[in-house]
Amino acid sequence: MEALTNEINTNIHGKKQKVKTIFIGGGTPTALNMKQLRSLLELIDHKFDVANCEEYTIEGNPGDFEVEKVRLLKSYGVNRISLGVQVFDDQMLEELGRLHKVKDVYHTINLLQRNGFSNISIDLIYALPNQTVDQFQKSLEEAVSFDLPHYSTYALQIEPKTVFYQRHKKGKLHRPPQEAEVQMYEILKSTMRGNNINQYEISNFAKNGFESKHNLTYWNNEHYYGFGAGAHGYLPGRRTGNIRPLPAYNKKAMSDGKPILSIEEIGLKEMVEEEMFLGLRKLSGINQQHFRDKFGFSCDSLYGGAISSLVKKGWLAEQQGNYCLTDDGLLFGNEVFAEFLLEEEDLKLVR
């Protein structure tokens, strides 16, 4: 907390910063005790214009909330809760190394709703080790039975330096076959559609008006601050990544308030590429007029060949002035995005 306070104080000066959204996550910030959590909320309230913030989210795990914490969050203006549920199966939760059980999800959602929180999102993971399609469908149906306004659902990623990665290398991690993963994704989309929960991004679903404004900041390729161990920020002309793990972050943040590990300069080439990669994650896709207004040239003048090829493959479509992924395109997103990588010479042709 002291290191984070020093980092924010070093970078944010003067009157309270106006921000559209605030997201406390990363980690599990609700693991803080009451004194620490109050200190964090006071710091944010002191530095940012919380009163005029449209969306103020905190991440947490089921079982980490008690009534005092919930009321504290409410009193400081937090208006959205994102819960890391992952799966509605106690055995799978244990294999994932999660500390909560399914009953904790019920208790936590009930506690939040009784204390005035209606904007609640839950995260789910599918394609878990040994998970069957039927098991995923059961877990998904239990999730939507809560009738919440937002759901984020991701296929399991095997990250380096994790227990799962070590098991995977030793051949002891048995993920479902790719065909089953695709089937799970199709069930996910149809189940959400059947419950009037709209897909607005590859992995995100919401009732009308409850799309995550904070995450849309990322997908709209807009700017944001990033503070804390391992945090990423995007300010005009550069992306930054902070030091991790926590002890190294603490040492640097306490010494000079600038615990930056990496700075990536973002020129026109990178901005255009990211506009395409990130924007196509949204179901609404890339608005052609917005692209022209932002960059001074059209999508077609730069990417005409790639767009034509992807449309012929059935992965991309044009709808009401937008380029967006088709249902098949959603399954091959990374291959689609690769088509929008640029060489510096490409930009000379349109400038």
Side-chain angles (χ1 to χ4, degrees), residues 64-135:
D64 271 349
F65 291 86
E66 59 263 4
V67 67
E68 292 83 4
K69 279 187 181 178
V70 173
R71 289 173 179 169
L72 180 68
L73 294 171
K74 192 80 175 173
S75 71
Y76 276 91
V78 175
N79 56 24
R80 184 174 183 271
I81 306 291
S82 179
L83 291 175
V85 173
Q86 316 310 1
V87 64
F88 283 87
D89 183 301
D90 283 343
Q91 183 178 340
M92 288 187 187
L93 285 170
E94 187 175 343
E95 289 172 1
L96 281 169
R98 311 301 291 193
L99 298 178
H100 71 273
K101 296 187 179 298
V102 172
K103 65 180 176 62
D104 296 319
V105 180
Y106 284 81
H107 171 76
T108 298
I109 291 176
N110 181 260
L111 175 64
L112 291 168
Q113 291 176 333
R114 281 191 288 109
N115 285 276
F117 282 99
S118 57
N119 195 354
I120 301 169
S121 174
I122 63 175
D123 287 357
L124 298 172
I125 303 177
Y126 64 96
L128 293 165
N130 301 312
Q131 186 181 38
T132 66
V133 171
D134 286 344
Q135 285 174 323

Side-chain angles (χ1 to χ4, degrees), residues 288-340:
Q288 295 177 57
Q289 188 59 51
H290 174 76
F291 186 98
R292 184 189 293 273
D293 292 344
K294 186 168 184 176
F295 296 108
F297 51 84
S298 69
C299 269
D300 288 347
S301 66
L302 186 60
Y303 288 120
I307 289 170
S308 177
S309 172
L310 291 167
V311 168
K312 284 179 182 176
K313 282 185 176 180
W315 292 356
L316 200 67
E318 185 176 4
Q319 297 177 359
Q320 299 178 327
N322 288 16
Y323 287 122
C324 48
L325 295 179
T326 62
D327 281 346
D328 284 344
L330 291 171
L331 298 173
F332 296 97
N334 287 336
E335 292 175 51
V336 174
F337 303 154
E339 293 295 316
F340 297 102

Side-chain angles (χ1 to χ4, degrees), residues 19 38 40 56 85 101 113 167 199 248 252 271 291:
V19 288
R38 184 184 298 276
L40 174 60
Y56 189 170
V85 173
K101 296 187 179 298
Q113 291 176 333
R167 289 185 199 166
Q199 184 176 18
K252 189 72 167 69
M271 284 178 63
F291 186 98

Side-chain angles (χ1 to χ4, degrees), residues 231-297:
H232 291 264
Y234 179 34
L235 296 174
R238 64 179 194 151
R239 290 190 182 275
T240 59
N242 271 3
I243 293 168
R244 57 190 305 179
L246 189 59
Y249 164 81
N250 284 347
K251 183 177 180 181
K252 189 72 167 69
M254 287 298 292
S255 68
D256 64 5
K258 296 180 180 179
I260 293 174
L261 176 65
S262 63
I263 297 176
E264 181 187 359
E265 300 298 330
I266 303 295
L268 180 61
K269 172 181 174 292
E270 290 78 18
M271 284 178 63
V272 171
E273 289 175 339
E274 291 177 1
E275 190 80 11
M276 301 302 292
F277 302 160
L278 297 169
L280 284 172
R281 290 190 64 90
K282 300 178 295 178
L283 269 285
S284 60
I286 302 291
N287 181 270
Q288 295 177 57
Q289 188 59 51
H290 174 76
F291 186 98
R292 184 189 293 273
D293 292 344
K294 186 168 184 176
F295 296 108
F297 51 84

Side-chain angles (χ1 to χ4, degrees), residues 1 4-6 8-9 12 14-19 21-25 29 32 36-53 55-59 73 76-79 225 227-228:
M1 280 307 307
L4 179 63
T5 300
N6 199 44
I8 292 178
N9 283 338
I12 303 295
K15 63 182 182 180
K16 291 185 178 183
Q17 291 284 304
K18 291 187 181 298
V19 288
T21 65
I22 298 170
F23 193 101
I24 312 175
L32 298 172
Q36 293 164 335
L37 185 58
R38 184 184 298 276
S39 174
L40 174 60
L41 295 168
E42 284 178 351
L43 170 65
I44 292 169
D45 190 64
H46 179 65
K47 287 294 184 178
F48 301 97
D49 185 6
V50 172
N52 292 301
C53 172
E55 181 185 272
Y56 189 170
T57 305
I58 190 168
E59 282 187 335
L73 294 171
Y76 276 91
V78 175
N79 56 24
Y225 294 110
F227 299 114

